[in-house]
Coordinates of all heavy atoms in Angstrom, one line a residue:
I39 N 8.1 4.0 3.9 CA 7.9 5.4 3.4 C 8.2 6.3 4.5 O 7.6 6.4 5.5 CB 6.6 5.6 2.7 CG1 6.4 4.7 1.6 CG2 6.5 7.0 2.4 CD1 4.9 4.8 1.0
P40 N 9.3 7.2 4.5 CA 9.7 8.2 5.5 C 8.5 9.2 5.8 O 8.1 9.7 4.8 CB 10.9 8.8 4.9 CG 11.5 7.7 3.9 CD 10.3 7.2 3.3
Q41 N 8.2 9.5 7.0 CA 7.3 10.4 7.3 C 8.0 11.6 7.9 O 8.8 11.4 8.7 CB 6.3 9.8 8.3 CG 5.5 8.6 7.8 CD 4.7 8.9 6.6 OE1 4.1 9.9 6.4 NE2 4.5 7.8 5.7
L42 N 7.6 12.8 7.4 CA 8.3 14.0 7.9 C 7.4 14.7 8.9 O 6.3 15.0 8.8 CB 8.5 14.9 6.6 CG 9.1 16.4 7.0 CD1 10.5 16.1 7.6 CD2 9.2 17.2 5.8
L78 N 17.1 14.0 0.9 CA 15.7 13.4 0.9 C 15.8 12.0 1.0 O 16.3 11.2 0.1 CB 14.9 13.9 -0.3 CG 13.5 13.4 -0.4 CD1 12.5 14.1 0.6 CD2 13.0 13.8 -1.8
R141 N 13.0 6.4 -7.7 CA 12.0 7.0 -6.8 C 12.5 8.4 -6.4 O 11.7 9.3 -6.3 CB 11.9 6.2 -5.5 CG 11.0 4.9 -5.7 CD 10.9 4.2 -4.5 NE 10.3 4.9 -3.3 CZ 9.1 5.0 -3.2 NH1 8.1 4.4 -3.8 NH2 8.7 5.7 -2.1
V144 N 12.0 10.9 -9.2 CA 10.6 11.3 -9.3 C 10.2 12.4 -8.2 O 9.6 13.3 -8.4 CB 9.6 10.0 -9.3 CG1 8.2 10.6 -9.2 CG2 9.9 9.2 -10.5
L145 N 10.7 12.1 -7.0 CA 10.4 13.0 -5.9 C 10.9 14.2 -6.2 O 10.3 15.4 -5.9 CB 10.8 12.4 -4.6 CG 10.2 11.1 -4.1 CD1 10.8 10.7 -2.8 CD2 8.7 11.2 -3.9
Q146 N 12.2 14.4 -6.6 CA 12.9 15.6 -7.0 C 12.1 16.4 -8.1 O 12.0 17.6 -8.0 CB 14.2 15.5 -7.3 CG 15.1 15.0 -6.0 CD 16.6 14.6 -6.4 OE1 16.9 14.4 -7.5 NE2 17.4 14.5 -5.3
A147 N 11.7 15.6 -9.1 CA 11.1 16.2 -10.3 C 9.7 16.8 -9.9 O 9.4 17.9 -10.3 CB 10.9 15.2 -11.4
T148 N 9.0 16.2 -9.1 CA 7.7 16.7 -8.7 C 7.9 17.9 -7.7 O 7.0 18.8 -7.9 CB 6.8 15.6 -7.9 OG1 7.6 15.1 -6.9 CG2 6.4 14.6 -8.9
N149 N 8.8 17.8 -6.8 CA 8.9 19.0 -6.0 C 9.5 20.2 -6.8 O 9.3 21.4 -6.3 CB 10.0 18.6 -4.8 CG 9.4 17.7 -3.9 OD1 8.2 17.8 -3.6 ND2 10.3 16.9 -3.3
M150 N 10.3 20.1 -7.8 CA 10.7 21.1 -8.6 C 9.6 21.7 -9.5 O 9.6 22.9 -9.8 CB 11.8 20.7 -9.5 CG 13.2 20.5 -8.7 SD 14.4 19.8 -9.9 CE 14.7 21.2 -11.0
A151 N 8.6 20.8 -9.8 CA 7.5 21.3 -10.8 C 6.3 21.9 -10.0 O 5.7 22.7 -10.6 CB 7.1 20.1 -11.6
L152 N 6.1 21.5 -8.7 CA 4.9 21.9 -8.0 C 5.2 22.4 -6.6 O 6.4 22.2 -6.2 CB 3.9 20.7 -8.0 CG 3.5 20.1 -9.3 CD1 2.8 18.8 -9.0 CD2 2.6 21.0 -10.1
D153 N 4.3 23.1 -6.0 CA 4.4 23.4 -4.6 C 4.4 22.1 -3.8 O 4.0 21.0 -4.2 CB 3.4 24.4 -4.1 CG 1.9 23.9 -4.3 OD1 1.4 23.2 -3.4 OD2 1.3 24.1 -5.4
R154 N 4.8 22.2 -2.5 CA 4.8 21.1 -1.7 C 3.6 20.1 -1.7 O 3.7 18.9 -1.9 CB 5.2 21.5 -0.2 CG 5.2 20.3 0.7 CD 5.7 20.7 2.1 NE 5.7 19.6 3.0 CZ 6.7 18.8 3.1 NH1 7.8 18.8 2.4 NH2 6.7 17.9 4.1
E155 N 2.4 20.8 -1.4 CA 1.2 19.9 -1.4 C 0.7 19.4 -2.6 O 0.3 18.2 -2.7 CB 0.1 20.8 -0.7 CG -1.2 20.0 -0.3 CD -2.0 20.6 0.6 OE1 -1.7 20.8 1.8 OE2 -3.2 21.2 0.2
S156 N 0.7 20.1 -3.7 CA 0.5 19.6 -4.9 C 1.5 18.4 -5.4 O 0.9 17.4 -6.0 CB 0.5 20.6 -6.1 OG -0.5 21.7 -5.7
A157 N 2.7 18.5 -5.1 CA 3.6 17.5 -5.4 C 3.3 16.3 -4.7 O 3.6 15.2 -5.1 CB 5.1 18.0 -5.2
G158 N 2.7 16.5 -3.4 CA 2.4 15.4 -2.5 C 1.3 14.5 -3.3 O 1.3 13.3 -3.1
F159 N 0.3 15.1 -3.9 CA -0.7 14.3 -4.6 C -0.1 13.5 -5.6 O -0.4 12.4 -5.7 CB -1.7 15.4 -5.2 CG -2.7 15.9 -4.2 CD1 -2.9 17.3 -4.0 CD2 -3.5 15.0 -3.5 CE1 -3.9 17.8 -3.1 CE2 -4.5 15.5 -2.6 CZ -4.6 16.8 -2.4
V160 N 0.8 14.1 -6.4 CA 1.4 13.4 -7.6 C 2.2 12.2 -7.0 O 2.3 11.0 -7.5 CB 2.3 14.3 -8.4 CG1 3.0 13.4 -9.5 CG2 1.4 15.4 -9.1
Q161 N 3.0 12.5 -6.0 CA 3.8 11.4 -5.4 C 3.0 10.4 -4.8 O 3.4 9.1 -4.8 CB 4.7 12.0 -4.3 CG 5.7 13.0 -4.7 CD 6.5 13.8 -3.7 OE1 6.3 13.6 -2.5 NE2 7.1 14.8 -4.1
A162 N 1.8 10.5 -4.2 CA 0.9 9.7 -3.6 C 0.4 8.7 -4.7 O 0.3 7.5 -4.5 CB -0.2 10.3 -2.8
L163 N 0.0 9.3 -5.8 CA -0.5 8.5 -6.9 C 0.5 7.8 -7.7 O 0.2 6.8 -8.4 CB -1.4 9.5 -7.8 CG -2.5 10.1 -7.2 CD1 -3.1 11.0 -8.2 CD2 -3.5 9.2 -6.7
S164 N 1.8 8.1 -7.7 CA 2.7 7.6 -8.5 C 3.7 6.5 -7.8 O 4.0 5.4 -8.2 CB 3.6 8.6 -9.3 OG 4.2 9.4 -8.4
V165 N 4.2 7.1 -6.6 CA 5.3 6.3 -5.9 C 4.8 6.0 -4.5 O 5.6 5.3 -3.6 CB 6.6 7.0 -5.9 CG1 7.2 7.2 -7.3 CG2 6.5 8.4 -5.3
G166 N 3.6 6.2 -4.1 CA 3.0 5.9 -2.9 C 3.5 6.8 -1.7 O 3.4 6.4 -0.6
G167 N 4.2 8.0 -1.9 CA 4.7 8.8 -0.8 C 3.7 10.0 -0.6 O 3.9 11.0 -1.4
G168 N 2.8 9.8 0.3 CA 1.9 10.9 0.6 C 2.3 11.7 1.8 O 1.5 12.4 2.4
N169 N 3.6 11.8 2.1 CA 4.0 12.4 3.5 C 4.0 13.9 3.2 O 4.3 14.8 4.3 CB 5.3 11.9 4.0 CG 6.4 12.0 2.9 OD1 6.1 12.5 1.8 ND2 7.5 11.4 3.2
Q170 N 3.7 14.4 2.1 CA 3.8 15.9 1.8 C 2.4 16.5 1.9 O 2.3 17.7 1.7 CB 4.6 16.3 0.5 CG 6.0 16.0 0.6 CD 6.9 16.6 -0.6 OE1 8.0 16.3 -0.8 NE2 6.1 17.2 -1.5
I171 N 1.5 15.7 1.9 CA 0.0 16.0 2.0 C -0.3 16.4 3.4 O 0.1 15.8 4.4 CB -1.0 15.1 1.5 CG1 -0.6 14.5 0.0 CG2 -2.4 15.5 1.5 CD1 -1.4 13.6 -0.5
S172 N -0.9 17.7 3.6 CA -1.2 18.2 4.9 C -2.2 17.2 5.6 O -3.0 16.5 5.1 CB -1.7 19.6 4.9 OG -3.0 19.5 4.3
P173 N -2.1 17.1 7.0 CA -3.0 16.4 7.9 C -4.5 16.8 7.5 O -5.4 15.9 7.7 CB -2.6 16.7 9.2 CG -1.2 17.1 9.2 CD -1.1 17.9 7.9
I175 N -5.8 17.8 4.8 CA -6.3 17.1 3.4 C -6.5 15.6 3.7 O -7.6 15.1 3.2 CB -5.3 17.3 2.3 CG1 -5.2 18.8 2.1 CG2 -5.6 16.6 1.1 CD1 -6.5 19.5 1.6
W176 N -5.5 15.0 4.5 CA -5.8 13.5 4.7 C -7.0 13.3 5.5 O -7.8 12.4 5.3 CB -4.6 13.1 5.7 CG -3.4 12.6 4.8 CD1 -2.3 13.1 4.7 CD2 -3.4 11.4 3.9 NE1 -1.4 12.4 3.8 CE2 -2.1 11.3 3.5 CE3 -4.3 10.3 3.7 CZ2 -1.6 10.3 2.6 CZ3 -3.8 9.3 2.8 CH2 -2.6 9.3 2.3
Y179 N -10.1 13.1 3.2 CA -10.2 11.9 2.5 C -10.6 10.7 3.5 O -11.4 9.8 3.1 CB -8.9 11.6 1.8 CG -8.7 12.3 0.6 CD1 -8.2 13.5 0.6 CD2 -9.0 11.7 -0.7 CE1 -8.2 14.3 -0.7 CE2 -9.0 12.4 -1.9 CZ -8.4 13.7 -1.9 OH -8.3 14.4 -3.1
A185 N -9.7 7.7 1.5 CA -8.2 7.7 1.7 C -7.4 6.6 0.9 O -6.2 6.8 0.7 CB -7.8 7.6 3.2
H186 N -8.1 5.6 0.5 CA -7.4 4.5 -0.3 C -6.9 5.1 -1.6 O -6.0 4.4 -2.2 CB -8.3 3.4 -0.5 CG -9.6 3.6 -1.2 ND1 -9.7 3.6 -2.6 CD2 -10.8 4.2 -0.7 CE1 -10.9 3.9 -2.9 NE2 -11.6 4.3 -1.9
L187 N -7.6 6.2 -2.0 CA -7.1 6.7 -3.3 C -5.7 7.4 -3.3 O -5.0 7.6 -4.5 CB -8.2 7.7 -3.9 CG -9.5 7.1 -4.1 CD1 -10.5 8.2 -4.5 CD2 -9.4 6.1 -5.3
L188 N -5.3 7.7 -2.1 CA -4.0 8.5 -2.0 C -2.8 7.5 -1.6 O -1.9 8.0 -1.0 CB -4.2 9.5 -0.8 CG -5.2 10.6 -1.3 CD1 -5.2 11.8 -0.2 CD2 -4.8 11.3 -2.6
V189 N -3.1 6.3 -1.6 CA -2.0 5.2 -1.5 C -2.0 4.4 -2.7 O -2.9 4.3 -3.5 CB -2.3 4.4 -0.2 CG1 -2.2 5.2 1.1 CG2 -3.6 3.5 -0.2
I190 N -0.9 3.6 -2.8 CA -0.8 2.7 -4.0 C -1.8 1.5 -3.7 O -1.3 0.5 -3.0 CB 0.6 2.3 -4.2 CG1 1.5 3.6 -4.5 CG2 0.7 1.3 -5.4 CD1 1.0 4.3 -5.7
H194 N -4.0 0.5 -8.8 CA -2.9 1.1 -9.4 C -1.9 0.1 -10.0 O -1.4 0.1 -11.2 CB -2.0 1.9 -8.4 CG -2.7 3.1 -7.8 ND1 -3.7 3.0 -7.1 CD2 -2.3 4.4 -7.9 CE1 -4.2 4.1 -6.7 NE2 -3.4 5.1 -7.1
Y237 N 6.3 -2.5 -10.4 CA 5.6 -1.2 -10.0 C 5.3 -1.4 -8.5 O 5.5 -0.3 -7.7 CB 4.4 -1.1 -10.7 CG 3.6 0.3 -10.3 CD1 4.3 1.5 -10.5 CD2 2.4 0.2 -9.7 CE1 3.7 2.6 -10.1 CE2 1.8 1.3 -9.1 CZ 2.4 2.6 -9.4 OH 1.9 3.8 -9.0
Q244 N 3.9 -1.7 -0.5 CA 2.9 -1.7 0.4 C 2.0 -2.9 0.4 O 1.9 -3.6 -0.6 CB 2.2 -0.4 0.4 CG 3.1 0.8 0.6 CD 2.3 2.1 0.4 OE1 1.3 2.5 0.9 NE2 2.7 2.9 -0.7
V353 N -10.1 9.6 -10.5 CA -8.8 9.3 -10.0 C -8.2 8.1 -10.9 O -7.1 8.2 -11.5 CB -8.7 8.9 -8.6 CG1 -7.4 8.5 -8.1 CG2 -9.2 10.1 -7.7
A357 N -6.3 10.7 -13.3 CA -5.3 11.1 -12.4 C -4.1 10.1 -12.4 O -3.0 10.6 -12.5 CB -5.7 11.6 -11.0
V358 N -4.5 8.9 -12.1 CA -3.5 7.9 -12.1 C -2.7 7.7 -13.4 O -1.5 7.7 -13.3 CB -4.1 6.6 -11.5 CG1 -3.0 5.5 -11.6 CG2 -4.5 6.6 -10.0
A361 N -0.4 10.7 -13.8 CA 0.7 10.7 -12.8 C 1.7 9.8 -13.3 O 3.0 9.9 -13.2 CB 0.2 10.4 -11.4
L362 N 1.3 8.5 -13.6 CA 2.2 7.5 -14.1 C 3.0 7.9 -15.4 O 4.3 7.6 -15.5 CB 1.5 6.2 -14.3 CG 0.9 5.6 -13.1 CD1 0.2 4.3 -13.4 CD2 2.1 5.3 -12.1
T365 N 5.4 10.4 -14.5 CA 6.7 9.9 -13.9 C 7.6 9.2 -14.9 O 8.8 9.3 -14.8 CB 6.2 8.6 -12.9 OG1 5.2 9.3 -11.9 CG2 7.3 7.9 -12.3
L379 N 2.0 17.3 -17.3 CA 1.1 16.3 -16.7 C 1.0 16.4 -15.3 O -0.1 16.3 -14.7 CB 1.7 15.0 -17.2 CG 1.7 14.8 -18.7 CD1 2.4 13.3 -19.0 CD2 0.4 14.7 -19.1
F380 N 2.1 16.7 -14.5 CA 2.0 16.9 -13.1 C 1.1 18.0 -12.8 O 0.4 17.9 -11.8 CB 3.4 17.1 -12.6 CG 4.3 16.0 -12.6 CD1 5.7 16.1 -12.5 CD2 3.8 14.6 -12.7 CE1 6.6 15.1 -12.6 CE2 4.7 13.6 -12.7 CZ 6.0 13.8 -12.6
R381 N 1.1 19.1 -13.5 CA 0.3 20.2 -13.2 C -1.2 19.8 -13.3 O -2.1 20.1 -12.7 CB 0.6 21.4 -14.0 CG -0.3 22.6 -14.0 CD -0.4 23.1 -12.5 NE 0.9 23.5 -12.0 CZ 1.0 24.0 -10.7 NH1 0.1 24.0 -9.9 NH2 2.2 24.3 -10.4
V383 N -2.5 16.8 -13.0 CA -2.9 15.9 -11.9 C -3.1 16.8 -10.7 O -4.2 16.6 -9.9 CB -1.8 14.9 -11.7 CG1 -2.0 14.3 -10.3 CG2 -1.5 14.0 -12.8
A384 N -2.3 17.8 -10.4 CA -2.5 18.7 -9.3 C -3.8 19.4 -9.3 O -4.6 19.6 -8.3 CB -1.4 19.6 -9.1
V385 N -4.2 20.0 -10.5 CA -5.5 20.7 -10.7 C -6.5 19.8 -10.5 O -7.6 20.2 -9.8 CB -5.5 21.4 -12.1 CG1 -6.9 22.0 -12.3 CG2 -4.5 22.6 -12.1
Q386 N -6.5 18.6 -11.0 CA -7.6 17.7 -10.8 C -7.7 17.3 -9.4 O -8.9 17.2 -8.9 CB -7.4 16.4 -11.7 CG -8.5 15.4 -11.7 CD -8.3 14.2 -12.5 OE1 -7.3 14.1 -13.3 NE2 -9.1 13.2 -12.3
M387 N -6.7 17.0 -8.7 CA -6.7 16.5 -7.3 C -7.3 17.7 -6.4 O -8.0 17.5 -5.5 CB -5.5 16.0 -6.8 CG -5.0 14.7 -7.5 SD -6.1 13.5 -7.4 CE -6.4 13.1 -5.6
D388 N -6.9 19.0 -6.8 CA -7.5 20.1 -6.0 C -9.0 20.1 -6.1 O -9.7 20.4 -5.2 CB -6.9 21.4 -6.4 CG -5.4 21.6 -6.0 OD1 -5.1 20.8 -5.1 OD2 -4.7 22.3 -6.6
T391 N -10.6 17.2 -4.1 CA -10.5 17.6 -2.7 C -11.7 18.6 -2.3 O -12.4 18.4 -1.3 CB -9.2 18.2 -2.3 OG1 -8.1 17.3 -2.6 CG2 -9.2 18.6 -0.9

Side-chain angles (χ1 to χ4, degrees):
I39 296 175
Q41 302 296 322
L42 178 61
L78 179 69
R141 285 176 57 87
V144 172
L145 295 180
Q146 291 175 345
T148 53
N149 286 330
M150 291 176 61
L152 303 168
D153 61 85
R154 177 178 175 81
E155 191 163 282
S156 298
F159 280 122
V160 179
Q161 294 166 12
L163 297 177
S164 58
V165 297
N169 53 5
Q170 293 187 183
I171 301 176
S172 67
I175 298 298
W176 272 110
Y179 281 82
H186 60 92
L187 297 174
L188 296 183
V189 298
I190 299 300
H194 292 64
Y237 182 64
Q244 302 173 53
V353 174
V358 171
L362 294 178
T365 298
L379 295 179
F380 290 156
R381 175 57 61 183
V383 174
V385 171
Q386 183 181 350
M387 294 306 298
D388 286 340
T391 303

